[in-house]
Amino acid sequence: MKKYLYPSLLVVFGVMAAAIFFFKKPEVRTPELKDRRGSLSVGNEWLNTKAAIEGLLAKLRTNPKDQKSRLLLAQAYMQEGRVTGDHPYYDGAAMNLLEQVLAAEPENFEALCCKASLCLTQHHFAQGLGIAEQAQKLNPNSGFVYGLLTDANVEMGHYEEAIKMADKMNQVRPDLPAYARVSYLREIYGDVPGAIQAMDMAAKAGYIGLEQTEWTRVALGHLHEVSGDTARARGYYLMALAARPGYAYALAGLGRMAAARKDYPRAIKLYQEARITVKDYAFADELTDLYRQNGQPDEADKMAKESIDMLANAAKEADSNEEMGHYADRELAYAYLKTNELDKALEHAKIEYARRPDNIDVNETMAWVLYKRGQYAEAQKYMQVARRTGSKNPVLLGRAGLILSKMGKTAEGQALIENSLKTAPYLNPEVEAEGKKMLALAAR
C-alpha cells in the first residue's frame, strides 16, 4: 500500500504547490526613489528628502500594513514629481501607493484628497472633481479640499462654483495656496492688478526657498509680464533664482525676458538650463519658437517633434488608463499647429473640447485651430465663449483680434491686436507676427 501512497502524496503536494504559485497574490513592490539631476541633486533639501523617503521605505519593509507611512510616501512622491517634473514616474508611484491605502481604508480623507490632486495633475479633471467632492463630504472643514474643488471647477469651466470654493478655502484657512487661487480667479476675470495683489500675499505667506513659495513668486512675475511690466517680472524671477538656485521655472522666466529683448541666444541657453533639471514639455515647446526666431529651423523642427513625442506618449497612456496618464490633447493641438499638421491639431482640439466644453482655454484652443484652418466664422463662435469672463491675457486678445479682423470687424479687431502687441508681444511670436502683418495691411 505504501508503494502507491507516496506517489499519491507527491502528486497532491505538487498540485497544492502549483495552486499556491498561481493563485497567491503577487507581492506588491513599493516604488523606489530616483536620483535627481543637475542642481536639484545638491543641497540640504535633497539630503533631507532622501533621508525622509528612505525612512518611510524602511518602515514599510518592516511593516507592510503601515498605511500612515504609505500615505506619507505617496505625498513625498507627489512633491518629488512636482520638483523634478518626472510626473510619469512619481505620479504613477504615488497613485499605486494611494490605491493600496484606500483598499485598506476606503474613507481615508487624506488619501482621497491626494488621489484627487493626482487626477488634476494628470488632467483627469472630471474624475478629480468627483473624488474631491467625495472627500469634502467626509471633512467639510478642510481648506485643502476646497482648494482641490476650486482647481477642478476652474478646469471644468465652472467658474462661479470655483469662486465659491475659493471663498470657503480662504474662510477656513487663508494661506499661500488660498491666496494663489484667488489670484488665478481674478486673472481669469480680467482683474490683473487684483491678481497681482493676491499672488503677492501668497508669496509673502510662504517660506523663502521652498519650491511652493518660489513657484508662487514665478507666478507673480508672470502676472507682471501679462500686464506689460517686464522690469518687475524680471526682478521676481531673479529673487526666485536667488532663493532656489537653478530653479527651472525662474530660468524660463528669465528666458522670456531675454526673448522680449530679442536676445534669442541667451533665451535659448536659459531654457536649455531649465530642461536639464526638470522634465516639462513646455520648455521644448518654447524652445521651438526660440530656435525659429534665432534662424535655426532644423533645431526648431527637432524640438517640435520632441514636444509631440512627449505629449503623444502621455496621451496614449491616458487613453489606456482611466486614472493615470496625462491627458494632453489641448497641448497636442498647439504642437501640431507648429508642424502645420492642421487635421491632427483639430482632432486633438475636439477631443479636449468634448471633455471640457465650458473651459475658456479649451474654447480659445478650438478658436485658434479653426482660425489657422481658415474657418473664421466657426472660430469666432468659440472665441466668444473663450472671452466670456473678460480675461485680459495678451495672447487671447491678439487671437481674438485676428479672428475679428478676418470676419471684417476691422476696428474692433485692430484695437485688440494693438492692445496685445503693446502689452507683451513676445509671449507668442506667431500672434505677434500675424498681428503686425494685419495692422500693416489695415494701414494701407
Side-chain angles (χ1 to χ4, degrees), residues 401-439:
L402 287 164
I403 292 169
L404 285 168
S405 297
K406 290 291 188 180
M407 291 284 293
K409 299 181 180 181
T410 308
E412 187 181 356
Q414 188 171 332
L416 289 172
I417 293 169
E418 287 173 347
N419 186 323
S420 173
L421 294 177
K422 179 182 176 182
T423 306
Y426 60 90
L427 286 176
N428 190 296
E430 185 180 33
V431 171
E432 178 186 13
E434 294 204 23
K436 288 179 177 178
K437 182 179 178 181
M438 190 73 75
L439 291 179

Side-chain angles (χ1 to χ4, degrees), residues 322-368:
E322 213 173 282
E323 291 183 341
M324 288 302 296
H326 185 87
Y327 281 142
D329 293 286
R330 177 170 172 262
E331 294 86 348
L332 273 168
Y334 284 120
Y336 279 122
L337 286 181
K338 291 189 178 182
T339 57
N340 203 35
E341 296 176 84
L342 302 185
D343 289 344
K344 288 184 178 180
L346 182 59
E347 174 191 343
H348 287 284
K350 284 182 174 180
I351 291 171
E352 192 69 45
Y353 182 79
R355 291 193 193 107
R356 341 184 249 149
D358 297 323
N359 180 275
I360 58 174
D361 295 326
V362 174
N363 277 275
E364 179 185 359
T365 304
M366 280 292 296
W368 190 241

Side-chain angles (χ1 to χ4, degrees), residues 159 188 353 357-368 370 375-391 396-397 399-401 403-404 407 409 412 416:
Y159 300 109
I188 285 171
Y353 182 79
D358 297 323
N359 180 275
I360 58 174
D361 295 326
V362 174
N363 277 275
E364 179 185 359
T365 304
M366 280 292 296
W368 190 241
L370 290 165
Q375 299 170 248
Y376 306 124
E378 280 294 303
Q380 176 59 10
K381 292 177 185 177
Y382 290 101
M383 184 54 76
Q384 285 177 325
V385 179
R387 296 185 63 202
R388 77 180 193 273
T389 60
S391 171
L396 172 67
L397 297 183
R399 286 173 172 156
I403 292 169
L404 285 168
M407 291 284 293
K409 299 181 180 181
E412 187 181 356
L416 289 172

Side-chain angles (χ1 to χ4, degrees), residues 36-37 39-41 45-46 49 75-87 90-91 209-212 215 244 246-249 274 276-280 283:
R36 290 185 181 182
R37 301 184 302 171
S39 60
L40 292 177
S41 63
E45 182 190 271
W46 174 229
T49 296
Q75 292 169 339
Y77 282 163
M78 289 169 67
Q79 179 60 20
E80 195 64 12
R82 179 183 171 95
V83 169
T84 64
D86 192 357
H87 288 287
Y90 283 113
D91 288 0
L210 287 182
E211 194 276 336
Q212 294 92 328
W215 182 93
R244 192 173 179 85
Y247 188 44
Y249 297 100
I276 291 171
T277 54
V278 172
K279 298 177 180 179
D280 191 327
F283 296 155

